[in-house]
């Protein structure tokens, strides 16, 4: 699945990013469950492990006076998704965007995306046992003072519930589901019948499955009525029997139930939108990943419980329905409704991939390799679907050839949903998207089109993008003590939600890229993936299955498992330190950890495929040499005539390099003399690495500034965006600390380095995608620093754009720059607000919204953005944008405190949206006062979010900001 995270906008312009980097909700894959012992045998609870793949998806971006009232600025109405309170001009009731880095060709982009096939083969499984050991007698709690006593949870009716683990027992295996759903879009309720065909694996007296907020009205088993027990804390249902079900039996459980359509973004949820004439339409759609299928129907809602599904949905005659499979037939009902029945799924599926939609969407389609490919949208946006159809069709053909496996279904639907929290979701045969992730206007920039292509490619292959800035952002997060291994235990629902983060996606993608780069030959990785897919098609897999497949095709019999286990089983990554003495080069590895509190990772070792080039040959791939570093320290020989050494060629490795002695000085001098001695990827990695080492206090900030001196000659996107991002972070910290003299000096410094390049940027239509990225980054910075030639041009473009004729178009990559400048004028802000209410093109609408949130007028922020026309799904974007400015950053933090419980009602604890909100509001704090405030607030929440990893990350980041500022403020006074 795709979500939007904070990639710090290093590669895509901010207008294309929610947090700044494509961060989608990581795709979840199945992990093999070993068969459990029969229920009677004593066993310890099993914790599942999760290895999620990597994708860079979306990153979200970016007064003290009257904080309490300003907390209402976004307004409580943000929390109210009821469309009944919206005006006719209101937009949709919920929504998000994308991003990227350097510009490869279309084919290279697609091949790059393919690296993440591991995602489609890894596993999500959850649940843990709270403080119990289970025996034949039940769950027993132990302490030092009392003997073992059986402890059973209580059902809602007061009866003992027969199971106390989060993970379901494996005595029963579902074989098939027959689902009938009857949604009522007037009352926003639905009824359903679920018929589950099951096999008994072990003798048992219970059936335990999942169900959340479902009112079970009738249950039958073997044609007899049975009582269903519910244990809400674990979202479980159970049926107890007086006689054992015997292993080998087949049985059928039928459950009738009713429920409300969800008012959040998970489960079977309701939504609405207004067309251009102000007419309201309602719809219902699903989002089941990771734990929400149980909200729509009783089921075994864990990825390893695969089954087939036969789905039937009733609807009004003027509506249509979609599901994973093609429609088999439609039958008129006596109540005037139609019952649509879909074909039975042709393979076993996990519940989180089930999907269905009831709406009045319309499609365009074409047949590709015997598969009907369709793109659905609301009727008035049909003209925006052509690009998605063309892209999906080409990608489907490419994947069929690349994987040597044909797409197995008769149809593939891509659906743009007006109210959708994630970026996209890879439901089998029915992929759902945000409108901004799928719809493209005919006059959209090539940069916008490329972002949509990335998302479609990701969802079709279910893999991810491997671009340069995503790897930098993954390194930044993995350098914190609050990080986690790729393969890690998940013991609660919140921990499952939190696995959808930068580490799971971007780090997962990055180590696959490193693995591919380390394998000999350009086809070995692909061959291993193809073997893996064919061997384990439709099965649950473990991470070792993929590594074994890659090992089997290795021409040099490399042990891939040995290498990869060091990268997946421990958090963090290595710092490789290079020192030279004569012809001896010593490489040393250690854990790169910005904070060392309560850690024992100093002895961590990685199996590192170190690549390097030197001044005699540094650009072409054949210049690259490889040295495997498995131990704490090792040496290699190099001619003494070599002037400098650059490790991690083109940044394909997931590690940071420190050049001791004269190493940094030699590289700095080389770049100052000739910028072309290194690839642009290597130049960008040097910039990222030296800033990271500065935070680690291994280099001085003076060394950082010395390296950046070469930047006045830089023209490539990746180094420029990385340098600007790092400098902007420091600028914002200084701004929030009200160090106005240093802020002014920092502005002068940035303009001194980049001013010439900024002034060379054009404002007309630009076809080259790389140039679009570069100029949008540079001009956004120039205008944010109030450079008159930039702001004047932006205001002029906006004036033409706002003319009644409405024929003037701002180039897509420059719209965010222009809207941000316009929002600083009260008059133009109101014009933007009117434009937002009437805009129909989703990408442009979102840029307008981000511009509105960038205003630095406190009164406007407090009075205008009350949420009456702002989709709830955009709240994380609003908060991150408001937090970037000095006027709004304290307001955003206050708003979160005032509205926390409403926030976690809409965006569940641990979700990507909540992670983004916490990070956005706290990442620019650098004082002890703010540290105490944040710690005090989250500590008070207890089970409502205090234990989230994102909270620990926020506290750690504030401490690091505080440490950096205390150390560098005096030096900045001198150096700048």
């Amino acid at each position: 699945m795709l979500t939007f995270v904070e990639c710090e906008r290093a590669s895509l312009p901010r207008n294309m990013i929610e947090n700044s980097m494509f961060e989608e909700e990581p795709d979840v894959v199945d992990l093999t469950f070993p068969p459990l012992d029969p229920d009677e045998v004593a066993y310890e609870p099993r914790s599942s492990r999760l290895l999620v793949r990597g994708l860079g998806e979306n990153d979200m971006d970016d007064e003290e006076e009257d904080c309490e009232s300003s907390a209402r600025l976004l307004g409580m109405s943000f929390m109210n998704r009821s469309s009944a309170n919206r005006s006719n001009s209101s937009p949709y009731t919920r929504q998000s965007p994308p991003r990227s880095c350097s510009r490869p060709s279309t084919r290279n982009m697609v091949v790059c995306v393919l690296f993440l096939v591991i995602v489609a083969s890894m596993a999500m499984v959850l649940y843990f046992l709270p403080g119990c050991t289970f025996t034949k007698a039940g769950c027993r709690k132990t302490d030092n003072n009392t003997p073992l006593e059986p402890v059973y949870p209580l059902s809602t009716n007061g009866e003992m519930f027969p199971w106390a683990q989060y993970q379901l027992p494996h005595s029963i295996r579902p074989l098939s589901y027959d689902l009938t759903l009857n949604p009522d879009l007037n009352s926003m309720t639905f009824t359903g019948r679920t018929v589950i065909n099951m096999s008994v694996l072990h003798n048992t007296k219970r059936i335990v499955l999942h169900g959340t907020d479902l009112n079970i009205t009738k249950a039958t088993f073997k044609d007899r009525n049975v009582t269903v027990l519910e244990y809400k804390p674990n979202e479980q249902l159970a049926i107890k029997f007086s006689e054992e079900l015997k292993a080998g039996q087949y049985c059928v459980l039928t459950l009738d139930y009713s429920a409300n359509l969800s008012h959040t973004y998970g489960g079977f949820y309701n939504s609405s939108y207004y067309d251009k004439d102000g007419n309201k339409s309602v719809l219902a759609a699903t989002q089941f990943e990771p734990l929400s299928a149980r909200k729509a129907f009783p089921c075994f809602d864990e990825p390893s419980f695969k089954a087939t599904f036969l789905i039937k949905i009733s609807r009004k005659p003027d509506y249509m329905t979609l599901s994973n499979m093609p429609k088999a037939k439609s039958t008129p009902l006596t109540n005037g409704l139609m019952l649509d029945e879909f074909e039975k799924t042709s393979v076993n599926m996990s519940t989180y991939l089930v999907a269905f939609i009831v709406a009045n969407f319309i499609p365009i389609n074409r047949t590709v390799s015997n598969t009907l490919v369709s793109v659905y949208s609301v009727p008035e946006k049909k003209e925006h679907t052509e690009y998605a159809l063309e892209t999906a069709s080409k990608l489907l053909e490419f994947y069929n050839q690349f994987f040597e496996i044909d797409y197995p279904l008769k149809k593939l639907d891509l659906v743009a949903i007006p109210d959708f929290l994630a970026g996209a979701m890879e439901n089998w045969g029915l992929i759902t998207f945000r409108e901004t992730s799928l719809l493209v206007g005919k006059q959209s920039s090539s940069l916008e089109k490329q972002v949509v292509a990335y998302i479609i490619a990701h969802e079709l292959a279910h893999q991810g993008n491997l671009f340069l800035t995503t790897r930098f952002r993954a390194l930044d997060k993995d350098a914190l003590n609050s990080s986690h291994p790729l393969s890690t235990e998940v013991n609660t629902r919140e921990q499952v939600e939190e696995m959808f983060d930068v580490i799971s996606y971007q780090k997962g993608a990055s180590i696959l890229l490193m693995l591919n780069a380390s394998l000999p030959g350009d086809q070995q990785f692909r061959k291993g993936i193809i073997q893996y897919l064919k061997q384990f098609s439709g099965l649950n897999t473990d991470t070792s299955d993929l590594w074994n497949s890659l090992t089997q095709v290795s021409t040099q019999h490399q042990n891939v498992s040995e290498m990869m286990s060091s990268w997946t089983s421990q958090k963090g990554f290595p710092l490789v330190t290079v020192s030279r003495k004569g012809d001896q080069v010593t490489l040393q590895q250690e854990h790169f950890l910005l904070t060392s509190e309560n850690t024992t990772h100093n002895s961590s070792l990685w199996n590192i495929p170190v690549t390097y080039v030197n001044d005699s040959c540094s650009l072409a791939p054949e210049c690259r040499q490889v040295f495997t570093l498995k131990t704490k320290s090792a040496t290699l020989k190099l001619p003494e005539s070599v002037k400098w050494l650059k490790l991690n060629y083109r940044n394909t490795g997931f590690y940071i390099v420190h050049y001791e002695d004269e190493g940094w000085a030699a590289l700095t001098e080389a770049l100052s003399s000739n910028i072309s001695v290194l690839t642009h990827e290597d130049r960008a990695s040097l910039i990222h690495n030296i800033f990271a080492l500065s935070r680690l206090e291994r280099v001085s900030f003076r060394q950082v500034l010395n390296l950046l001196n070469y930047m006045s000659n830089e023209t490539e996107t990746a180094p420029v965006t990385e340098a600007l991002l790092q400098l902007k972070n420091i600028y914002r910290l200084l701004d929030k600390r009200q160090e106005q003299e240093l802020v002014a000096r920092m502005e002068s410094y940035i303009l001194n380095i980049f001013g010439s390049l900024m002034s060379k940027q054009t404002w007309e239509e630009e076809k080259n995608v790389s140039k679009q990225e570069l100029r949008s980054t540079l001009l956004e910075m120039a205008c944010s620093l109030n450079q008159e030639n930039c702001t004047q041009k932006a205001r002029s473009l906006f004036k033409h754009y706002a003319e009644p004729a409405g024929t003037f178009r701002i180039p897509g990559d420059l719209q965010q720059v222009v809207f941000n400048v316009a929002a600083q004028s009260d008059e133009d802000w109101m014009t933007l607000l009117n434009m937002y209410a009437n805009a129909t093109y989703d990408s442009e609408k979102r840029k307008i919204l981000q511009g509105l949130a960038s205003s630095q007028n406190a009164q406007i922020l407090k009075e205008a953005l009350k949420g009456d026309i702002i989709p709830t799904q955009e709240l994380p974007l609003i908060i991150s944008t408001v937090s970037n400015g000095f006027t709004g950053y304290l307001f955003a933090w206050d708003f979160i405190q005032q509205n926390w419980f409403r926030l976690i009602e809409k965006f569940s604890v641990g979700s990507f949206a909540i992670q983004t909100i916490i990070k956005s509001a706290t990442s620019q704090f650098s004082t002890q006062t703010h540290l105490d405030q944040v710690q005090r607030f989250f500590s008070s929440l207890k089970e409502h979010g205090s234990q989230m990893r994102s909270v620990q990350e926020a506290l750690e980041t504030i401490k690091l900001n505080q440490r950096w500022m205390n150390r560098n403020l005096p030096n900045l006074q001198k150096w700048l």
Side-chain angles (χ1 to χ4, degrees), residues 348-364:
N348 291 325
M349 290 170 50
S350 299
T351 49
Y352 77 90
L353 292 174
V354 174
F356 34 87
I357 296 171
V358 183
N360 57 357
F361 296 162
I362 59 174
I364 63 171

Side-chain angles (χ1 to χ4, degrees), residues 444-641:
S444 297
S445 68
S446 50
L447 184 58
E448 292 171 309
K449 291 179 179 178
Q450 181 170 271
V451 169
V452 169
Y454 284 149
I455 300 174
I456 295 174
H458 167 83
E459 298 304 333
L460 287 185
H462 216 209
Q463 298 161 36
N465 81 46
L466 302 173
F467 296 107
L468 196 60
T469 54
T470 67
R471 306 204 288 278
F472 292 156
R473 302 295 74 80
L475 286 163
D476 293 346
K477 183 162 183 173
D478 208 22
L480 301 176
N481 192 36
S482 54
S483 184
H484 62 85
L486 275 172
S487 180
T488 191
E489 290 186 0
V490 284
N491 298 324
T492 65
R493 181 187 183 97
E494 290 72 26
Q495 289 175 350
V496 174
E497 293 275 6
E498 286 205 296
M499 286 302 294
F500 291 79
D501 67 355
V502 173
I503 299 301
S504 296
Y505 279 84
Q506 278 79 334
K507 182 178 180 179
S510 298
I511 65 169
L512 288 177
L513 175 66
M514 179 172 62
L515 172 61
N516 177 67
S518 70
L519 295 174
D522 61 354
Q523 292 296 309
Q524 184 171 326
F525 187 83
R526 178 193 175 206
K527 290 176 181 177
I529 293 298
I530 291 172
Q531 176 169 312
Y532 167 80
L533 290 176
K534 290 182 176 179
Q535 181 177 353
F536 297 102
S537 176
L539 302 177
N540 295 322
T541 64
D542 188 81
T543 54
S544 61
D545 295 323
L546 176 63
W547 310 147
N548 290 339
S549 294
L550 289 164
T551 299
Q552 290 168 18
V553 302
S554 172
T555 56
Q556 298 180 4
H557 305 290
Q558 294 166 285
N559 190 329
V560 175
S561 293
E562 178 186 337
M563 171 189 168
M564 297 304 290
S565 62
S566 66
W567 295 95
T568 61
S569 62
Q570 59 185 344
K571 70 180 180 182
F573 58 87
L575 166 64
V576 177
T577 300
V578 189
S579 57
R580 291 181 62 186
K581 189 172 183 180
D583 64 351
Q584 295 285 323
V585 177
T586 301
L587 305 180
Q588 292 181 303
Q589 65 162 299
E590 62 185 289
H591 187 181
F592 187 100
L593 192 62
L594 289 174
T595 56
S596 56
E597 301 174 7
N598 304 317
T599 62
T600 57
H601 287 271
N602 292 331
S603 60
S604 301
L605 288 177
W606 285 262
N607 186 323
I608 314 171
V610 176
T611 57
Y612 62 95
V613 293
N614 60 54
D615 61 297
S616 64
C617 184
S618 59
L619 298 176
E622 53 267 26
C623 297
R624 186 193 73 153
Q625 300 183 66
V626 182
F627 179 87
T628 301
L629 180 61
K630 299 181 181 179
T631 56
K632 183 76 173 176
S633 177
T635 60
L636 57 89
K637 285 198 172 185
L638 205 64
E640 291 190 46
S641 59

Side-chain angles (χ1 to χ4, degrees), residues 828-894:
D828 288 343
W829 194 96
M830 292 304 301
T831 302
L832 266 180
L833 184 62
N834 291 329
M835 288 178 175
Y836 179 81
N838 296 300
T840 57
Y841 178 45
D842 305 288
S843 177
E844 189 169 295
K845 190 181 190 78
R846 205 157 189 275
K847 295 170 196 170
I848 293 174
L849 178 60
Q850 199 165 353
L852 290 169
S854 71
S855 171
Q856 295 303 298
N857 183 317
Q859 192 61 32
I860 279 181
L861 288 178
K862 285 189 286 188
E863 299 301 329
L865 289 181
K866 292 182 178 177
D868 54 340
I869 67 167
I870 308 300
T872 305
Q873 67 178 6
E874 299 292 14
L875 183 56
L877 174 64
I878 293 291
I879 289 178
S880 63
T881 305
V882 168
S883 297
N884 284 333
F886 178 80
T887 302
Y889 85 108
L890 291 178
F891 151 71
W893 168 235
D894 193 54

Side-chain angles (χ1 to χ4, degrees), residues 260-451:
N260 293 320
L261 289 170
S262 172
H263 64 286
T264 67
Y265 295 96
F268 192 19
Y269 70 87
N270 72 84
S271 178
S272 65
Y273 64 93
Y274 291 88
D275 63 21
K276 59 185 178 182
D277 298 320
N279 300 313
K280 178 182 175 182
S281 293
V282 294
L283 62 100
T286 60
Q287 172 58 45
F288 290 161
E289 188 184 44
L291 306 173
S292 293
R294 63 193 67 176
K295 295 180 179 180
F297 58 97
C299 58
F300 295 79
D301 196 16
E302 294 176 11
S304 66
F305 288 98
K306 295 179 184 292
T308 59
F309 293 82
L310 176 64
I311 297 175
K312 289 170 276 192
I313 308 175
S314 65
R315 60 173 171 86
K316 293 180 179 179
D318 57 338
Y319 270 67
M320 46 77 67
T321 61
L322 295 171
S323 190
N324 303 86
M325 297 296 290
K327 189 181 299 182
K329 62 181 179 180
S330 295
T331 306
L333 301 177
T334 56
N335 58 4
L337 301 179
M338 301 292 293
L339 183 67
D340 293 338
E341 180 176 330
F342 297 88
E343 295 178 13
K344 186 177 182 178
T345 58
S346 52
V347 300
N348 291 325
M349 290 170 50
S350 299
T351 49
Y352 77 90
L353 292 174
V354 174
F356 34 87
I357 296 171
V358 183
N360 57 357
F361 296 162
I362 59 174
I364 63 171
N365 47 56
R366 71 174 61 161
T367 300
V368 178
S369 302
N370 298 318
T371 298
L372 181 65
V373 181
S374 303
V375 179
Y376 287 82
S377 69
V378 301
E380 63 186 38
K381 296 183 180 179
K382 180 179 179 180
E383 64 183 34
H384 295 161
T385 58
E386 287 285 352
Y387 179 77
L389 179 63
E390 178 183 357
T391 301
S393 300
K394 291 179 179 178
L395 285 167
L396 185 62
E397 288 183 314
F398 176 85
Y399 287 150
N400 285 345
Q401 296 173 9
F402 186 91
F403 291 121
E404 299 179 2
I405 301 173
D406 286 340
Y407 181 74
L409 298 182
K410 299 176 185 176
K411 67 99 173 175
L412 172 63
D413 297 335
L414 294 80
V415 185
I417 298 179
D419 198 11
F420 194 72
L421 184 60
M425 176 62 204
E426 74 283 4
N427 311 300
W428 208 54
L430 178 60
I431 305 175
T432 48
F433 296 78
R434 275 193 179 201
E435 289 185 321
T436 51
S437 300
L438 189 66
L439 304 182
V440 172
K442 292 182 178 178
Q443 304 205 354
S444 297
S445 68
S446 50
L447 184 58
E448 292 171 309
K449 291 179 179 178
Q450 181 170 271
V451 169

